[in-house]
Amino acid sequence: MNAQEREVLTTGLTLTRQVDRPFADGQIHTIDITKFPVYDQQGNITKVGSVSIDLTEQVQARKALEESEARFRNLVEGSVQGVLIHIEQNPLFVNQAYAEIFGYDSPEELVAQGSALGHVAPQERDRMRAYSKARLRGDDTPVTYEFEGIHKDGTPIWLENRARGITWKGKPAVQRTLVDITERKRAEENLREALEAAEIANRGKTEFLANMSHELRTPLNSVIGFSEVIKDEILGPMDHPKYQDYAADIFTSGKHLLGLISDILDVSKI
């Protein structure tokens, strides 16, 4: 008689305990042993009954689940990417990286908000809510997309989001993994602005050249035309009064050209 059986005889209670025992297969099995009193017709305990259940598979399954959850938690909590798990926008789990992306000290602050949309820009919320509902229904939705979020200090931030449907504690849920791409978006915006500025400058250059071409050609035609008339004495000998008018036009056109060329040189220096 072992200690458990003696206790049953003494107290009249049904007692259960788990023990690990080696089996013929060479493995250690976990056995659930229940001892209970057996009474005679006079109500006296005459013997102790026993029921044994092999719990090895259940124990192994529970240990495997605990180890899997521990690996998942270590992986997620140590990740540099933000991870959020939610059901219908109700946050169930947030890792430290996710909290830091939005400027919070701890994940609990975000979970306490009660909504996974509390740190999402207002104009993005309907779209993300629709994505989550469609994903839970099993409909086709974008796996990776970008959205605008709100930092704790109120400044906008940009994030790349990767979402997938999972099972969390037996219920369908959504896992979101985030990367802060604010700096990349700023660089893209700066590049876009630089390209627009370059395009404006190019249009300005084209317009400038067209205008300068007109401004240069007009007085040059006058200079060439009037010079040719004087050179060939088309109107007669050089003492013809018209030659003085043409000479004055040539002088004016030449001064105009000199001014234009000076302006071009000044712009080139700048």
Side-chain angles (χ1 to χ4, degrees), residues 1-226:
M1 181 178 295
N2 58 35
Q4 185 182 13
E5 291 172 342
R6 285 195 296 271
E7 187 174 354
V8 170
L9 289 173
T10 303
T11 64
L13 299 175
T14 298
L15 302 176
T16 300
R17 65 171 180 165
Q18 289 184 4
V19 297
D20 293 331
R21 289 181 178 174
F23 269 48
D25 59 6
Q27 303 294 321
I28 301 298
H29 287 236
T30 299
I31 308 300
D32 184 269
I33 301 174
T34 299
K35 301 286 187 177
F36 55 90
V38 177
Y39 297 90
D40 60 14
Q41 293 181 350
Q42 287 73 37
N44 299 315
I45 299 175
T46 58
K47 54 186 176 180
V48 176
S50 178
V51 175
S52 298
I53 301 174
D54 191 341
L55 300 178
T56 305
E57 290 186 1
Q58 294 93 316
V59 171
Q60 290 176 347
R62 185 176 68 250
K63 287 181 178 179
L65 178 60
E66 290 173 352
E67 291 173 357
S68 176
E69 290 179 348
R71 286 195 298 270
F72 171 79
R73 185 170 294 275
N74 291 335
L75 177 64
V76 170
E77 291 183 349
S79 173
V80 296
Q81 297 179 327
V83 177
L84 162 73
I85 295 174
H86 68 89
I87 295 178
E88 295 183 352
Q89 305 306 326
N90 179 35
L92 306 175
F93 173 85
V94 174
N95 72 344
Q96 184 64 34
Y98 190 96
E100 291 175 356
I101 285 174
F102 290 95
Y104 292 86
D105 295 327
S106 68
E108 288 74 21
E109 291 183 77
L110 283 169
V111 174
Q113 290 184 0
S115 173
L117 298 176
H119 42 276
V120 175
Q123 69 273 15
E124 300 277 17
R125 292 173 186 171
D126 287 343
R127 176 169 69 106
M128 297 189 68
R129 190 181 289 110
Y131 283 168
S132 294
K133 289 182 178 180
R135 189 169 286 106
L136 289 175
R137 291 195 304 267
D139 297 343
D140 289 335
T141 54
V143 175
T144 302
Y145 58 90
E146 298 175 359
F147 72 92
E148 185 178 356
I150 304 173
H151 196 269
K152 185 179 180 180
D153 61 12
T155 57
I157 57 176
W158 278 96
L159 304 124
E160 183 179 83
N161 181 75
R162 184 176 183 85
R164 67 188 184 104
I166 63 170
T167 299
W168 182 263
K169 296 182 179 180
K171 296 181 179 180
V174 175
Q175 176 184 321
R176 291 194 350 222
T177 303
L178 302 184
V179 177
D180 189 341
I181 59 169
T182 304
E183 290 302 320
R184 190 185 82 190
K185 295 292 284 187
R186 286 175 182 167
E188 291 175 355
E189 179 64 17
N190 290 338
L191 177 60
R192 184 188 64 78
E193 291 176 355
L195 290 174
E196 288 181 355
E199 180 62 26
I200 291 172
N202 187 58
R203 289 199 301 267
K205 179 194 70 174
T206 302
E207 292 172 1
F208 172 78
L209 291 176
N211 291 334
M212 291 308 300
S213 175
H214 173 75
E215 292 291 332
L216 289 171
R217 286 176 184 274
T218 300
L220 273 175
N221 286 333
S222 297
V223 168
I224 294 171
F226 292 141

